[in-house]
């Protein structure tokens, strides 16, 4: 609307045309605000192998962080072997950059420009070998082809992460860590669901 108004000579800008333009701007702003405020939850779209043109299943994920920013880095976490007695750190993954700082996860998560390492909120026993996978806010896909898409839904919160600002919290494993751990340890969807469920209950 603005360019159209600017192209008209001043003599054509009558109060009725200005009011019409402002009404259009108000409607546009209202619709845009409505769309933005309605996009506060992640969504998945899944296509089964029989419904896809390639014959392969497809899983997608929108990472709708609402009014917050998202650390959009696409990070490859390498395959690793771990000595006996190792632990896997659990984090309170944050919105924005950096979502976590810990070079033991991936070289791309190592501190840069004076960043301080993220303090873990807990630990679980580590397995002897973990698969390589692609990672964003949530785990995406591992080297075995196991893929995960996260979809936010309404839920009753029964606990909060145990962080320095919430000493009363007791949750140690959120969906971010659970999805990543499933990709580190599993080659099948059944294993991923079982693994995430067991860790969440513990």
């Amino acid at each position: 609307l603005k360019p159209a108004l600017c192209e008209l000579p001043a003599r054509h800008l009558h109060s009725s045309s200005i009011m019409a333009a402002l009404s259009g701007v108000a409607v546009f702003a209202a619709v845009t605000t409505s769309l933005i405020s309605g996009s506060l939850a992640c969504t998945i779209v899944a296509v089964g192998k029989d419904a896809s043109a390639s014959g392969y299943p497809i899983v997608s994920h929108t990472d709708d962080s609402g009014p917050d920013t998202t650390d959009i880095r696409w990070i490859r976490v390498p395959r690793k072997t771990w000595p006996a007695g190792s632990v896997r750190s659990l984090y309170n993954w944050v919105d924005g950059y950096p979502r976590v700082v810990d070079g033991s996860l991936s070289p791309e998560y190592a501190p840069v420009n004076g960043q301080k390492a993220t303090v873990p909120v807990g630990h679980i026993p580590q397995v002897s070998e973990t698969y390589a996978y692609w990672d964003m806010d949530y785990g995406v896909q591992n080297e075995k082809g196991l893929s995960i898409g996260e979809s936010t839904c309404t839920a009753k919160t029964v606990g909060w992460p145990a962080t320095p600002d919430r000493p009363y919290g007791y949750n140690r494993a959120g969906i971010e860590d659970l999805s990543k751990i499933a990709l580190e340890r599993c080659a099948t969807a059944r294993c991923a669901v079982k693994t995430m469920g067991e860790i969440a209950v513990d």
Side-chain angles (χ1 to χ4, degrees), residues 97-193:
Y97 174 85
R99 57 183 170 255
V100 75
V101 179
D102 181 354
S104 70
L105 291 170
S106 170
E108 295 176 67
Y109 279 129
V112 295
N113 300 325
Q115 292 172 336
K116 294 187 179 181
T118 303
V119 177
V121 296
H123 298 88
I124 59 172
Q126 183 59 281
V127 295
S128 60
E129 186 172 18
T130 52
Y131 297 128
Y133 64 98
W134 289 101
D135 175 28
M136 292 184 74
D137 278 352
Y138 307 97
V140 179
Q141 183 179 52
N142 71 12
E143 64 181 271
K144 298 295 184 181
L146 176 63
S147 301
I148 294 179
E150 182 271 346
S151 183
T152 307
C153 62
T154 303
K156 179 179 179 182
T157 302
V158 295
W160 298 101
T163 57
D165 61 325
R166 289 188 182 126
Y168 51 83
Y170 61 89
N171 288 348
R172 303 289 191 266
I175 187 61
E176 299 91 347
D177 269 325
L178 292 174
S179 64
K180 297 166 199 289
I181 292 167
L183 294 178
E184 291 169 6
R185 300 179 178 196
C186 295
T188 66
R190 186 175 304 278
C191 170
V193 169

Side-chain angles (χ1 to χ4, degrees):
L1 293 173
K2 187 175 179 183
L5 283 175
C6 292
E7 292 169 6
L8 292 173
R11 67 182 181 276
H12 293 294
L13 292 178
H14 299 293
S15 61
S16 59
S17 62
I18 293 173
M19 291 306 290
L22 291 176
S23 294
V25 171
V27 169
F28 175 76
V31 169
T32 303
T33 302
S34 172
L35 291 173
I36 291 170
S37 64
S39 308
L40 299 178
C42 300
T43 305
I44 64 164
V45 175
V47 178
K49 64 183 180 69
D50 295 336
S52 72
S54 66
Y56 292 101
I58 301 167
V59 177
S60 69
H61 167 98
T62 63
D63 194 357
D64 302 319
S65 296
D68 298 326
T69 58
T70 298
D71 179 350
I72 60 170
R73 292 177 296 162
W74 178 255
I75 291 183
R76 184 175 186 281
V77 177
R79 172 189 274 264
K80 294 183 182 177
T81 55
W82 301 91
S86 294
V87 294
R88 201 304 189 164
S89 296
L90 304 172
Y91 298 98
N92 182 35
W93 295 76
V94 298
D95 289 337
Y97 174 85
R99 57 183 170 255
V100 75
V101 179
D102 181 354
S104 70
L105 291 170
S106 170
E108 295 176 67
Y109 279 129
V112 295
N113 300 325
Q115 292 172 336
K116 294 187 179 181
T118 303
V119 177
V121 296
H123 298 88
I124 59 172
Q126 183 59 281
V127 295
S128 60
E129 186 172 18
T130 52
Y131 297 128
Y133 64 98
W134 289 101
D135 175 28
M136 292 184 74
D137 278 352
Y138 307 97
V140 179
Q141 183 179 52
N142 71 12
E143 64 181 271
K144 298 295 184 181
L146 176 63
S147 301
I148 294 179
E150 182 271 346
S151 183
T152 307
C153 62
T154 303
K156 179 179 179 182
T157 302
V158 295
W160 298 101
T163 57
D165 61 325
R166 289 188 182 126
Y168 51 83
Y170 61 89
N171 288 348
R172 303 289 191 266
I175 187 61
E176 299 91 347
D177 269 325
L178 292 174
S179 64
K180 297 166 199 289
I181 292 167
L183 294 178
E184 291 169 6
R185 300 179 178 196
C186 295
T188 66
R190 186 175 304 278
C191 170
V193 169
K194 184 173 185 289
T195 299
M196 290 188 290
E198 289 173 353
I199 293 170
V201 169
D202 285 346

